[in-house]
Amino acid sequence: MNVEMIIVKAMEQALQQANPTLLDLVAFYLKNTADSDLKLAYKDPQKFKKLMSSLFGDYSTRLLELIVIKNIKENLGIMGDFQTLEELIEKLKIMAGEV
Amino acid sequence: MMMDDKESPIDILINATKKISPTLIYYEIGSNFELFTYDLIEKSFSHFENVIVISFYDAFNLIYQYWKLNINNEKLNKIIEKIKVISVNSIVENELLNSYVVSLTTPTTLLNEIARLADEANGKKTLILILGMDIYTIYQNEETFAKLYSLLIIPTSKYENMKIISAINPKIFSQKTTELISSYSFNVAYLGIEALKKEFARYLKFLRIAFLEYTLKKWIYQIIGVNLVFTEAVP
């Protein structure tokens, strides 16, 4: 299980669901502001969310985060109450034996 | 009632809501719903004596945090002082805002609170803005949301002095649920984002509105500072 890939794919799926136009916009924004890409959501979720907030606002960023959490929980059949991306990543890392 | 052509679409939406409600706003991620909401509330105080926000899962707080970072304190405080917030299933709003917190064990709790506010308003024109039902749906499920929405909207619409605007992100719902909630609304506005030539553009479109001449009318809007500047879209 590759946790980074799961997070990146889930983020792509959530952005695609929200509006396909956003994928290009987010990729462009991450490249220009942090010289990064969607992998930042896994590597540094706090920084990723901060950047998304400056792009979309806190409300939309929270909605995006909740959609990602919900999709991953449903796709992988994970039980538990995860409020943040960080909590979910920790759980996935444990499941994958990364910690 | 004809509207002035120079009026902003937000004024048109408020006037339509005054005429007949409920009003539904669909918004997409990236549409800068936060600033739209600010403008909507600020302009609403010219038309309504009270503005009550019903906020699910700290939705209003998320918007408020964005306002605090981007809007001048003095300007912001002028409207914050006047807004009443009913926080439903809140974690942080009770600490940050002068709000009334309701734990939504049953919709009756919320309806009782609305009935109390309707009494308190004593006939004064009141706008109820419902935020965060999309977040509520992610925490719960679509079926629970659909039941709650109808239980909330139908009885509240019966108060003559109260008008309702609710805002949700349609992309998290199935088409069936989107159609159901849309069917409760007399005015439906859509805030979206689209690729226009090589740039991204935010737009507002009235899918259905009390003033027929504005049905399907579309505006492109830009964010200049903290102001939304609307330009009529070329068909």
Side-chain angles (χ1 to χ4, degrees):
Chain A
M1 186 159 114
N2 183 332
V3 180
E4 183 182 76
M5 198 173 78
I6 290 170
I7 298 296
V8 170
K9 288 285 170 202
M11 196 57 74
E12 277 176 3
Q13 186 191 352
L15 288 166
Q16 189 81 29
Q17 183 185 347
N19 183 334
T21 306
L22 294 178
L23 263 175
D24 290 341
L25 178 63
V26 169
F28 180 79
Y29 188 73
L30 289 172
K31 180 73 189 160
N32 279 281
T33 54
D35 193 22
S36 189
D37 52 27
L38 286 178
K39 288 177 184 169
L40 190 65
Y42 166 79
K43 289 176 184 161
D44 191 345
Q46 279 197 358
K47 187 177 179 185
F48 178 80
K49 286 191 283 185
K50 204 174 169 187
L51 288 171
M52 289 302 100
S53 283
S54 62
L55 183 63
F56 296 138
D58 292 0
Y59 189 102
S60 291
T61 302
R62 179 66 179 147
L63 198 63
L64 196 63
E65 181 179 31
L66 288 170
I67 293 170
V68 167
I69 292 170
K70 184 180 178 236
N71 288 351
I72 291 177
K73 278 178 69 180
E74 283 176 2
N75 290 341
L76 298 181
I78 302 169
M79 304 296 282
D81 182 22
F82 306 103
Q83 291 295 322
T84 63
L85 200 53
E86 293 89 317
E87 287 175 15
L88 180 66
I89 289 171
E90 278 311 302
K91 172 74 176 177
L92 290 172
K93 279 181 175 175
I94 292 167
M95 286 171 68
E98 288 183 19
V99 286
Chain B
M1 181 178 170
M2 288 290 288
M3 303 298 302
D4 183 342
D5 276 347
K6 285 177 185 169
E7 240 168 340
S8 105
I10 296 181
D11 288 310
I12 297 167
L13 191 64
I14 294 169
N15 277 312
T17 305
K18 267 172 72 182
K19 190 176 177 189
I20 191 163
S21 91
T23 291
L24 175 65
I25 300 171
Y26 288 131
Y27 73 92
E28 286 185 0
I29 288 175
S31 59
N32 208 317
F33 174 63
E34 287 86 347
L35 287 182
F36 183 89
T37 310
Y38 180 84
D39 255 20
L40 180 78
I41 293 177
E42 190 185 38
K43 286 184 161 78
S44 292
F45 279 114
S46 308
H47 302 266
F48 295 93
E49 288 161 277
N50 298 315
V51 173
I52 297 166
V53 175
I54 299 178
S55 165
F56 287 85
Y57 287 99
D58 298 318
F60 182 69
N61 180 59
L62 290 168
I63 290 173
Y64 178 57
Q65 294 306 320
Y66 183 86
W67 290 353
K68 278 208 302 188
L69 282 176
N70 292 286
I71 297 170
N72 169 289
N73 260 353
E74 198 181 334
K75 192 179 170 192
L76 181 58
N77 286 340
K78 272 184 192 168
I79 76 156
I80 285 295
E81 285 164 8
K82 292 192 277 185
I83 301 172
K84 283 181 186 164
V85 181
I86 303 176
S87 293
V88 187
N89 293 358
S90 162
I91 298 164
V92 296
E93 273 175 4
N94 53 334
E95 292 167 11
L96 293 169
L97 297 160
N98 186 20
S99 59
Y100 180 90
V101 180
V102 174
S103 179
L104 191 66
T105 44
T106 65
T108 319
T109 328
L110 187 52
L111 289 173
N112 287 343
E113 181 56 19
I114 291 168
R116 189 186 69 76
L117 288 167
D119 275 351
E120 200 178 277
N122 197 22
K124 286 180 183 169
K125 283 180 192 164
T126 301
L127 176 69
I128 295 183
L129 180 62
I130 305 173
L131 301 173
M133 290 203 85
D134 33 26
I135 296 178
Y136 173 85
T137 308
I138 294 175
Y139 274 105
Q140 307 293 328
N141 56 59
E142 278 196 41
E143 198 183 329
T144 315
F145 160 78
K147 278 182 194 160
L148 177 67
Y149 194 78
S150 56
L151 280 169
L152 188 60
I153 294 290
I154 296 168
T156 309
S157 304
K158 288 177 183 162
Y159 296 107
E160 266 186 40
N161 60 323
M162 286 186 159
K163 302 293 178 188
I164 306 165
I165 297 180
S166 57
I168 58 164
N169 186 310
K171 299 299 173 85
I172 66 158
F173 298 100
S174 64
Q175 194 182 345
K176 186 182 160 194
T177 306
T178 311
E179 282 169 8
L180 176 78
I181 53 179
S182 175
S183 69
Y184 287 119
S185 308
F186 290 101
N187 307 299
V188 182
Y190 196 101
L191 295 175
I193 182 165
E194 64 185 357
L196 203 66
K197 293 178 185 169
K198 284 185 178 175
E199 296 193 339
F200 296 100
R202 296 182 177 94
Y203 67 89
L204 164 65
K205 188 174 185 178
F206 292 143
L207 303 181
R208 185 160 70 236
I209 190 139
F211 308 115
L212 292 180
E213 67 272 28
Y214 289 107
T215 297
L216 298 180
K217 194 155 181 173
K218 185 176 173 183
W219 290 262
I220 301 294
Y221 62 95
Q222 289 178 296
I223 315 285
I224 298 179
V226 290
N227 300 311
L228 302 186
V229 179
F230 290 91
T231 315
E232 209 176 310
V234 180

